[in-house]
Amino acid sequence: MCGIVAAVADRNIVPVLLEGLRKLEYRGYDSAGLALINGAGLQRLRSVGRVAELTAQVDESPQAAGNSGIAHTRWATHGVPCERNAHPHISQGLAVVHNGIIENHESLRGRLQALGYHFTSDTDTEVVAHLIAHELKSTPDFLTAVRQAVAQLQGAYAIAVLREADPTRVVVAREGAPLLLGVTEDGCYAASDASALLQVTRRMVYLENGDCAELKRDGYRITRVDGMPVERAETESQLTADAVELGHYRHYMQKEIFEQPVALANTLEMLGAARSIQPGVFGAESEATLREVRQVLIIACGTSYHAGLVARYWLESLAGIPCSVEVASEYRYRDSVPDPQTLVVTISQSGETADTLAALQHAKSLGMTRTLCICNVPESSLVRENALRFITRAGPEIGVASTKAFTTQLAALYLLTLVLAKVRGRLDEEAEAAELHAVRHLPLAVAKILELEPEIREWAGQFSMKQHALFLGRGRHYPIAMEGALKLKEISYIHAEAYPAGELKHGPLALVDREMPVIAVAPNDALIEKLKSNLQEVRARGGELYVFADADSEMKESDGIHVLHLPEHYGALSALLHVVPLQLLAYHVALVRGTDVDKPRNLAKSVTVE
């Protein structure tokens, strides 16, 4: 969840390191630091807080320049955010930055202390610095020492190492945490994310687990941990620098909410003007695989988990196939009953979510090898680990609170539902044509909902002083209520929880009073009358209702009941539309409360640790 940038080049690389950290700050912003080598030797600068604080230090330091360096922005796992725990960590002329968790750090720390190494931080990362320094006593080669050190590590890591005695090289290694190289005519770079390097290059080399690499100004070489040389393909990133810029928007979250029509259009572009949906959109071998499956297991975390919960309703009602949805961090720690004819679907925006990757490996170990991922990053670990895949084309999502990734995941899951329905003989030509028409209309339907922003902004003003909120939904809209509650708590820090509306009288009704706003997702479907009864239960206890209803739901405003009508009812896909006003509500409540919308406290975007 931390961010790494490293560089060796024929230029002053400090501006590149700082700009890279700014692009990676969504991965962690507890502290930041850099180390570089110049005529004065190894220089290290560290600060608590944002990259801006580190930049201020650099501006005041006359020694802050050099041709080789490493930099880091931290999301704390071991040790509180403070300067002594900030990266880089040093040992005997070495500096190390690290993303991930070293699970055996305590035993390594004890062994190194017995050898006379002194620790100055509470982090697991300092172990890596001392361990490499110790290996250099038995081998003079920098890359070999790093290989021998990382071979002793257990857990997940991406590291970059700088050595004062070898100023023309940086060595990096990867196991379980993302790391890629950037190649230019004047040097080599490394980073946790391509967005950090777009400022200098689009030529990328994605490292695999177990890779170590030596970066020099005139090139790089990659070996495995055991020293075996390997080649990795060089690709041109499809991202552009403009795609990760804020533009005229106030926050990335706002930008990404309003990018949803385009993101959906791009994600659905492969449908073109086709009269039918082909299984091949999920991979060349997908048709044979999907015809064989007897059930679906969806594994995901956070917002992606909510997308999976919506998909369960679709898959069982439209495709007629049993579906279970598991929280990735829980799945591999319980005894489950595997079925080799299960389609295992993993969902992740980044494709580097540690819990989801580990759960996928666990499912495979149980003999469930029919796997498919839905992911927004084509070069990610998750995509490489799956037999079938669907790449959502949402573009870079920088805001910690996911928005456009969620709606594009839902679109992909609906396509999967239609394909499974078709191969199972549950979708005739007429129904297929109607479904494709509805799916193609999604970008326009979302664009119409975004026009409701002024009314939602007015509601946000009424919410801003509340400390708690209750979200209600029924059927496939219950997961949408869960997603709305998550968005509100993530960025406004208002405690919010979601319940199936029918469960209201089984406990949550005790919380309802004038200070507890209740938000209801109220599409005009088969459960609307049931939902209306649930809402009357709230109103009878003095609760204030905020209802997102369809245009034809006949729900009217009255004392204590505020109603916002969406432009149209959208049948099975209405869940995708109803989440958009909930995103806007959370965003504008956070604005009123003055919280950091894009970088909420204690959270980071890409959760690459367990």
Side-chain angles (χ1 to χ4, degrees):
M1 293 169 66
C2 307
I4 291 173
V5 191
V8 182
D10 290 325
R11 64 160 85 181
N12 175 20
I13 48 82
V14 173
V16 176
L17 296 180
L18 290 173
E19 180 61 21
L21 290 186
R22 278 190 284 269
K23 291 294 188 291
L24 294 180
E25 200 169 19
Y26 70 92
R27 300 179 67 92
Y29 33 87
D30 294 333
S31 58
L34 61 81
L36 52 94
I37 298 173
N38 55 29
L42 180 66
Q43 309 293 317
R44 177 175 65 163
L45 294 172
R46 299 184 294 176
S47 66
V48 178
R50 302 296 173 80
V51 174
E53 277 73 31
L54 178 64
T55 303
Q57 280 196 37
V58 169
D59 291 342
E60 295 174 1
S61 173
Q63 301 292 340
N67 299 114
S68 59
I70 57 178
H72 187 268
T73 181
R74 180 173 185 247
W75 185 83
T77 56
H78 293 77
V80 299
C82 62
E83 185 173 328
R84 68 186 178 87
N85 287 332
H87 299 213
H89 292 285
I90 60 174
S91 179
Q92 301 180 4
L94 288 171
V96 174
V97 293
H98 163 231
N99 177 19
I101 289 180
I102 307 302
E103 294 177 354
N104 62 334
H105 74 98
E106 290 183 349
S107 61
L108 290 172
R109 179 185 288 253
R111 177 155 65 89
L112 289 163
Q113 286 175 327
L115 291 169
Y117 290 90
H118 176 62
F119 284 77
T120 61
S121 77
D122 305 314
T123 70
D124 54 341
T125 304
E126 193 176 0
V127 164
V128 182
H130 292 317
L131 195 58
I132 297 171
H134 186 67
E135 292 298 326
L136 277 166
K137 293 179 178 180
S138 60
T139 177
D141 183 67
F142 188 13
L143 177 59
T144 301
V146 173
R147 287 195 297 100
Q148 293 175 348
V150 300
Q152 302 172 57
L153 303 179
Q154 297 172 14
Y157 58 80
I159 64 170
V161 192
L162 193 64
R163 186 186 184 198
E164 186 174 15
D166 203 345
T168 62
R169 293 195 290 176
V170 169
V171 175
V172 300
R174 181 215 168 162
E175 179 64 50
L179 196 65
L180 57 92
L181 309 182
V183 184
T184 71
E185 296 300 323
D186 70 344
C188 284
Y189 302 80
S192 301
D193 189 311
S195 63
L197 301 183
L198 290 175
Q199 55 176 313
V200 291
T201 186
R202 292 175 65 184
R203 293 167 58 196
M204 307 293 180
V205 178
Y206 289 85
L207 299 181
E208 300 284 348
N209 285 337
D211 283 354
C212 299
E214 175 188 73
L215 280 61
K216 301 177 73 173
R217 297 178 190 178
D218 58 355
Y220 62 89
R221 65 183 174 117
I222 304 172
T223 73
R224 302 295 287 165
V225 171
D226 62 6
M228 180 69 67
V230 291
E231 299 286 337
R232 300 295 180 215
E234 182 178 308
T235 62
E236 183 170 345
S237 174
Q238 298 304 302
L239 295 178
T240 65
D242 289 344
V244 294
E245 294 297 333
L246 190 57
H248 67 276
Y249 291 98
R250 187 171 175 182
H251 298 94
Y252 279 105
M253 183 178 180
Q254 181 190 28
K255 176 177 184 273
E256 288 154 12
I257 289 172
F258 278 85
E259 284 177 340
Q260 285 177 113
V262 172
L264 285 165
N266 290 339
T267 297
L268 299 168
E269 185 180 23
M270 84 291 294
L271 296 178
R275 296 181 181 180
S276 64
I277 181 169
Q278 300 302 317
V281 298
F282 294 98
E285 300 176 358
S286 59
E287 183 168 5
T289 299
L290 296 179
R291 287 188 184 279
E292 296 172 349
V293 299
R294 293 192 302 209
Q295 62 182 11
V296 176
L297 168 63
I298 297 175
I299 303 172
C301 302
T303 286
S304 297
Y305 171 70
H306 295 160
L309 291 175
V310 174
R312 179 175 61 186
Y313 287 93
W314 290 337
L315 287 163
E316 294 195 344
S317 65
L318 299 178
I321 188 168
C323 177
S324 58
V325 187
E326 295 272 0
V327 175
S329 59
E330 294 290 328
Y331 170 64
R332 68 188 179 111
Y333 294 112
R334 72 175 186 84
D335 294 328
S336 58
V337 182
D339 182 345
Q341 288 186 275
T342 298
L343 176 67
V344 179
V345 179
T346 47
I347 311 171
S348 170
Q349 188 281 137
S350 68
E352 303 293 348
T353 307
D355 287 319
T356 304
L357 285 164
L360 173 63
Q361 292 301 323
H362 177 66
K364 287 181 177 180
S365 73
L366 297 177
M368 295 187 290
T369 58
R370 294 174 171 88
T371 65
L372 181 153
C373 76
I374 293 172
C375 184
N376 191 41
V377 182
E379 306 90 352
S380 64
S381 299
L382 192 66
V383 171
R384 294 195 297 269
E385 291 288 332
N386 277 271
L388 306 177
R389 70 288 305 267
F390 185 97
I391 307 301
T392 57
R393 296 174 60 191
E397 189 178 66
I398 305 301
V400 167
S402 181
T403 52
K404 62 178 179 175
F406 179 69
T407 49
T408 53
Q409 286 169 358
L410 288 177
L413 287 163
Y414 199 74
L415 293 182
L416 177 62
T417 299
L418 296 180
V419 167
L420 281 168
K422 184 173 181 177
V423 300
R424 293 167 64 84
R426 295 174 61 95
L427 192 68
D428 60 31
E429 288 187 10
E430 184 178 351
E432 184 177 10
E435 292 287 2
L436 285 173
H437 176 76
V439 168
R440 291 189 179 106
H441 183 61
L442 278 172
L444 180 58
V446 171
K448 290 180 179 178
I449 290 175
L450 292 171
E451 296 175 3
L452 299 175
E453 186 183 28
E455 293 95 318
I456 296 170
R457 187 186 298 116
E458 184 177 338
W459 279 14
Q462 301 172 45
F463 264 80
S464 60
M465 301 308 294
K466 304 296 184 182
Q467 299 304 315
H468 309 276
L470 184 63
F471 285 70
L472 301 177
R474 298 202 68 144
R476 57 180 170 262
H477 295 87
Y478 167 48
I480 297 303
M482 296 171 69
E483 177 63 12
L486 176 63
K487 286 292 156 286
L488 189 66
K489 72 180 74 170
E490 278 182 316
I491 63 170
S492 75
Y493 314 147
I494 293 174
H495 168 244
E497 58 181 309
Y499 263 84
E503 284 291 291
L504 190 63
K505 58 178 106 21
H506 295 289
L509 198 57
L511 297 172
V512 172
D513 60 18
R514 295 181 186 277
E515 296 304 313
M516 171 74 87
V518 178
I519 301 94
V521 182
N524 190 18
D525 58 16
L527 292 173
I528 187 64
E529 295 304 323
K530 297 285 188 185
L531 180 60
K532 288 179 180 179
S533 297
N534 301 142
L535 300 186
Q536 288 303 319
E537 294 167 358
V538 171
R539 193 67 200 111
R541 273 76 180 177
E544 192 158 11
L545 284 161
Y546 294 82
V547 183
F548 291 96
D550 286 335
D552 54 356
S553 65
E554 298 183 0
M555 298 194 74
K556 296 182 173 60
E557 288 203 359
S558 61
D559 182 39
I561 302 180
H562 311 276
V563 181
L564 185 63
H565 288 99
L566 275 61
E568 56 187 309
H569 174 55
Y570 220 63
L573 283 164
S574 66
L576 193 152
L577 301 188
H578 272 271
V579 76
V580 177
L582 298 182
Q583 296 169 348
L584 286 169
L585 179 65
Y587 173 72
H588 284 288
V589 170
L591 283 188
V592 176
R593 290 171 68 91
T595 59
D596 192 331
V597 173
D598 288 332
K599 301 181 180 69
R601 66 190 182 201
N602 304 332
L603 301 178
K605 181 69 175 176
S606 183
V607 186
T608 57
V609 297
E610 184 179 353

